[in-house]
Amino acid sequence: MSEMVDGLPSESDLLTSIATEAEVSEDVASEVLAEADVSLTRPLPAHRSLVAHRLYVSGVKSGTENGTDGPFERDIPLGPGAWAVASRNNSAGKSSLMWALTWALRGDQDDLYLRTDTRRWFRYIRVDVEVSGVPVSFRIRQDEHGLCEGVLLTADVIGQLTGLDGESQSGPGVRVVETVESPDAYTAMVGRFMMQRLGLRPLQLFSSDAGGLDEAGERDGSVQVHGWPAYFSVIALASASDSILFGRTAIGQLPTRFMQVFLDVPFTTDWMAADISAKDSRQTTRHVIRRSKADAAAREQRWQPLQEELARARTHLEQVRAARPDLPARIAAVEDTSRALLVLKTRLGRARATAEEARQARIQDERSMRRASESAAARSLFAALDPHACPRCEASISDERRSREDSHHRCAVCANPLQVESVDEDEREAVQSGLRKRLAASQDAERAAKRVVTALERQLAEAQAAAGSAVAAAEQEQGQAAYLAELRDAEAHVARLTGALDVVSQLGQTPTVDDAAERVLAAAAAILKDLASSTTRELFAELNQQIVTLARELGVTNLRSVKLDLAGKVNAMKSDNARPTSFSKLSPGERLRLRIAVIVSLIRVGRKHGIHSHPGLLVIDSPADVEIVEGDMKILLEQLRSLGEDEGLQVVIATMHEAVWDVFPGERLIVGPDEQHLF
């Protein structure tokens, strides 16, 4: 590693080269690179390590067909070297234990090990590990819905953690670092801790949109960030059925990026960050230019219609302003009608009073006329009458009362003495004639007063209607509701059109794009990528022969050569083919063995150069599930065991192959009491 670093340019030389290539000052280049999180400092050698010391699980099994239902607890001590989770039959719990181990360390459940029918059995998972020398314990508590609590513990030494009983979280030197309560929060907690302690940076890749517009060889896309779960694919190897060398996607040559990181290739993540930032900057520039072109087309299409509509709107506004109402005239009309109304009300009041006086006079004259008719002469006239009943109560007059009137001269009606005086007929006629004339006069006066009242009432009603109309007109124009609304609408319409025309007038103007940052990032990406690629090619050349040798030992006997390239292709040459075979076209068994050969060779070549960048933990589930001949399987297991013992790594495999009982000593076998069921 030292010779690779020694051959690198200094930070100052790199900055000068980038600034010169981008045609900017070094200050500008330094500022742009700092903002994009691109470092030009020579990388220090990484020394990553990840060692699991204890796996503890507990829960309740249910729904099995072999009579093993019920509570279970399994406490497994681990450490450096090779370990085999083994059983002599299938469905014994091997993959379930691997699932528990990888979930705790990965932070997210890995589909490679996930068993939907058995994960519900687990209630508590605990893994005690050392991460680059820091002792920690990852704890997971599950209920029927999934993870309900995740805890990260630390201590001064690993023994303080491994010495805790089962689910205990307290003891000498033990401290709680963080507690979470959801699966996503647990994933984030583990990823954050692992990336920090192992000195890893997220891998950023630019993924172009499928079917996107191709402009100058580039398409729009988005930045994809790959963190700890993605890195974990170089620790927990994929199954034989997976056609990608490492990881879940080959986009952006991600498998190559993993190998570069774990070979400690200088500036791997820095050139990727510069490249992503440059592509994102170019995409932004393309969007600006694209919008400018679209705006220019819109300006050409919309400017003239807007200009014509604005002219019409301005004409309408002037017409509205010219139709402003005459409020003073309306107020004068209200005042005039109010005065006329007051006069009429006064006259009507007086007329009604006169009519009432005339009515009272007529009533008085009628009373006088009746009294005259009921005088003594009138009573003499009525005496000649022979009433049959009392004119007051209509009671019948008896014959006895009639006889008494004749004999005693007493009224048959009221029993009072009858006094009949002599009446002067001429005098009576003169009095009654005068009363009749006065009554006729008072009646005429009353009728005349009523006619005056009726006429004035009609005039008043007309005056009130006129006054109401005047007041309504004045109020409407005083508030100017309709006028003001129309005026506001007209003014607003003119303002909107004016603003729209201003905007449209500016559309299509060529924006000034300062591409200094884009040039700096592109230059940095090119220079740093060239340095990383040069180092990678040198290491890959060493890897190729190591891979072929080990792959043949693992049973791929017809493999003549491989040639790893920067695109992540292995370019396998087999004896029966004239052209290279891609990794995805190999058989499942060949893919598994070649994947193991690549990662083992990567670690060995790295260690040869003093590179300890790979954390040193490998997890492989069921390597014998594919077609591998008996002898080759034994060789594979021996190589994995040797990797653990000779290279100082930790290897954890799960298998039911018979060869495991011969290759692994008993203290390195993780088995159940009957060598059948692990729990």
Side-chain angles (χ1 to χ4, degrees):
M1 180 62 186
S2 60
E3 64 269 19
M4 288 190 295
V5 175
D6 292 341
L8 295 174
S10 67
E11 181 177 0
S12 176
D13 291 342
L14 285 173
L15 183 61
T16 299
S17 299
I18 292 170
T20 301
E21 180 69 22
E23 299 180 345
V24 299
S25 68
E26 291 187 9
D27 289 341
V28 170
S30 179
E31 183 178 344
V32 171
L33 294 175
E35 185 175 350
D37 195 24
V38 176
S39 174
L40 303 180
T41 304
R42 291 183 179 185
L44 296 174
H47 198 295
R48 304 183 178 101
S49 64
L50 178 60
V51 181
H53 289 273
R54 183 180 180 185
L55 170 63
Y56 171 87
V57 296
S58 64
V60 179
K61 292 178 68 174
S62 62
T64 64
E65 298 178 355
N66 50 30
T68 60
D69 285 2
F72 68 87
E73 182 181 47
R74 191 68 200 267
D75 199 348
I76 303 171
L78 297 169
W83 301 84
V85 181
S87 68
R88 295 190 181 277
N89 64 337
N90 205 359
S91 299
K94 299 182 299 296
S95 293
S96 296
L97 286 179
M98 300 291 268
W99 164 78
L101 176 66
T102 56
W103 182 16
L105 296 179
R106 187 174 184 262
D108 190 16
Q109 300 185 60
D110 195 334
D111 293 339
L112 176 64
Y113 304 104
L114 182 60
R115 300 294 184 268
T116 57
D117 56 336
T118 62
R119 66 177 179 179
R120 59 185 175 83
W121 296 347
F122 290 79
R123 288 293 176 262
Y124 199 84
I125 300 172
R126 162 188 173 180
V127 179
D128 300 338
V129 296
E130 283 185 288
V131 184
S132 292
V134 176
V136 292
S137 181
F138 295 102
R139 307 294 184 94
I140 296 174
R141 188 181 302 278
Q142 276 205 124
D143 59 18
E144 62 273 14
H145 303 295
L147 184 148
C148 60
E149 182 185 61
V151 181
L152 174 61
L153 304 177
T154 188
D156 299 325
V157 294
I158 189 64
Q160 293 173 330
L161 292 173
T162 57
L164 297 177
D165 293 333
E167 300 180 13
S168 175
Q169 297 182 9
S170 60
V174 176
R175 301 175 295 279
V176 176
V177 177
E178 188 174 354
T179 301
V180 296
E181 297 179 349
S182 70
D184 290 343
Y186 183 77
T187 301
M189 179 184 72
V190 174
R192 190 167 53 247
F193 177 81
M194 289 294 197
M195 296 286 280
Q196 181 182 10
R197 289 305 310 160
L198 295 174
L200 296 170
R201 293 172 60 184
L203 295 177
Q204 300 183 55
L205 303 174
F206 189 88
S207 177
S208 299
D209 297 334
L213 180 64
D214 191 319
E215 297 179 81
E218 290 189 315
R219 292 200 305 266
D220 287 352
S222 59
V223 177
Q224 295 182 353
V225 180
H226 299 271
W228 174 243
Y231 277 116
F232 202 76
S233 65
V234 190
I235 294 175
L237 302 187
S239 65
S241 61
D242 201 317
S243 61
I244 299 175
L245 184 59
F246 298 117
R248 297 292 183 266
T249 177
I251 294 176
Q253 293 83 49
L254 192 59
T256 300
R257 306 298 167 249
F258 288 140
M259 288 189 285
Q260 288 176 317
V261 169
F262 289 124
L263 281 171
D264 221 9
V265 173
F267 302 117
T268 296
T269 55
D270 292 302
W271 84 255
M272 291 176 68
D275 183 59
I276 291 301
S277 297
K279 289 180 178 178
D280 190 54
S281 179
R282 288 196 296 272
Q283 177 171 275
T284 300
T285 300
R286 290 198 304 274
H287 289 178
V288 170
I289 295 174
R290 195 181 302 161
R291 283 196 300 269
S292 177
K293 292 180 180 179
D295 290 346
R299 178 181 183 276
E300 182 177 354
Q301 181 180 9
R302 297 178 57 192
W303 190 87
Q304 187 60 35
L306 276 175
Q307 183 71 16
E308 295 173 355
E309 188 176 359
L310 178 59
R312 291 192 296 269
R314 285 172 173 165
T315 300
H316 176 66
L317 177 59
E318 293 302 321
Q319 292 172 346
V320 172
R321 287 173 174 169
R324 185 180 183 89
D326 187 1
L327 184 58
R330 298 296 188 188
I331 294 176
V334 171
E335 292 175 349
D336 291 343
T337 55
S338 297
R339 283 193 294 270
L341 194 62
L342 182 59
V343 171
L344 284 172
K345 286 182 177 179
T346 302
R347 290 177 58 192
L348 180 59
R350 291 174 181 172
R352 284 175 175 169
T354 300
E356 180 62 21
E357 290 176 357
R359 189 179 73 85
Q360 293 296 332
R362 186 262 306 166
I363 292 173
Q364 186 62 36
D365 289 343
E366 286 178 343
R367 288 175 180 171
S368 297
M369 186 66 186
R370 284 197 298 272
R371 282 196 299 270
S373 299
E374 294 173 356
S375 63
R379 286 195 298 273
S380 298
L381 179 63
F382 286 131
L385 298 176
D386 186 15
H388 296 281
C390 176
R392 178 65 176 171
C393 65
E394 297 184 358
S396 300
I397 300 175
S398 64
D399 292 339
E400 181 182 357
R401 283 181 175 271
R402 294 178 187 279
S403 178
R404 189 181 301 119
E405 183 180 85
D406 291 339
S407 60
H408 296 86
H409 300 287
R410 290 186 177 275
C411 178
V413 177
C414 61
N416 286 321
L418 293 173
Q419 296 178 1
V420 180
E421 301 177 355
S422 59
V423 179
D424 187 341
E425 292 295 333
D426 292 337
E427 182 180 354
R428 185 183 65 182
E429 182 59 31
V431 171
Q432 289 183 344
S433 177
L435 290 174
R436 281 194 293 272
K437 290 178 180 179
R438 192 170 70 180
L439 176 60
S442 64
Q443 289 174 339
D444 290 341
E446 182 183 13
R447 282 193 291 272
K450 285 183 177 180
R451 284 195 296 273
V452 172
V453 169
T454 301
L456 288 174
E457 286 177 342
R458 184 174 60 253
Q459 293 177 29
L460 179 62
E462 294 172 354
Q464 286 175 331
S469 299
V471 170
E475 288 177 346
Q476 181 178 6
E477 292 183 3
Q478 186 175 13
Q480 302 182 37
Y483 169 75
L484 290 177
E486 186 178 7
L487 179 63
R488 283 194 298 268
D489 288 344
E491 290 175 340
H493 190 43
V494 169
R496 283 194 299 270
L497 291 173
T498 301
L501 191 61
D502 289 343
V503 171
V504 171
S505 298
Q506 297 174 14
L507 293 178
Q509 296 180 359
T510 303
T512 301
V513 179
D514 183 8
D515 62 348
E518 183 179 314
R519 296 198 308 273
V520 169
L521 293 168
I527 291 172
L528 297 179
K529 182 179 181 180
D530 184 62
L531 292 173
S533 299
S534 176
T535 303
T536 301
R537 290 190 188 95
E538 294 177 12
L539 292 172
F540 277 7
E542 289 189 61
L543 277 176
N544 290 333
Q545 188 55 48
Q546 286 274 354
I547 292 170
V548 172
T549 300
L550 183 54
R552 286 175 177 172
E553 292 177 355
L554 295 178
V556 190
T557 55
N558 62 346
L559 183 65
R560 289 192 289 117
S561 68
V562 297
K563 188 177 182 180
L564 291 172
D565 61 23
L566 298 179
K569 298 178 180 179
V570 297
N571 298 301
M573 293 294 295
K574 301 171 68 174
S575 58
D576 54 349
N577 289 339
R579 301 180 63 181
T581 301
S582 66
F583 184 79
S584 62
K585 298 300 183 182
L586 297 172
S587 69
E590 290 172 333
R591 283 200 296 264
L592 174 64
R593 284 171 282 183
L594 189 57
R595 182 180 289 116
I596 295 173
V598 170
I599 194 65
V600 170
S601 299
L602 182 147
I603 294 174
R604 284 178 173 172
V605 170
R607 297 296 170 88
K608 175 184 175 182
H609 290 275
I611 300 172
H612 293 264
S613 189
H614 189 280
L617 171 64
L618 288 180
V619 179
I620 307 172
D621 186 29
S622 303
D625 282 355
V626 293
E627 190 68 28
I628 300 180
V629 298
E630 188 70 27
D632 291 344
M633 186 62 208
K634 185 176 182 180
I635 294 174
L636 172 60
L637 294 176
E638 288 175 343
Q639 288 292 335
L640 293 175
R641 179 189 170 191
S642 173
L643 185 64
E645 293 179 350
D646 300 339
E647 306 292 344
L649 304 181
Q650 184 178 34
V651 181
V652 182
I653 68 170
T655 182
M656 59 171 287
H657 198 280
E658 285 297 325
V660 72
W661 307 97
D662 298 328
V663 173
F664 281 77
E667 67 273 12
R668 291 286 169 170
L669 289 172
I670 301 169
V671 299
D674 56 356
E675 296 185 353
Q676 300 293 325
H677 302 98
L678 285 138
F679 56 88

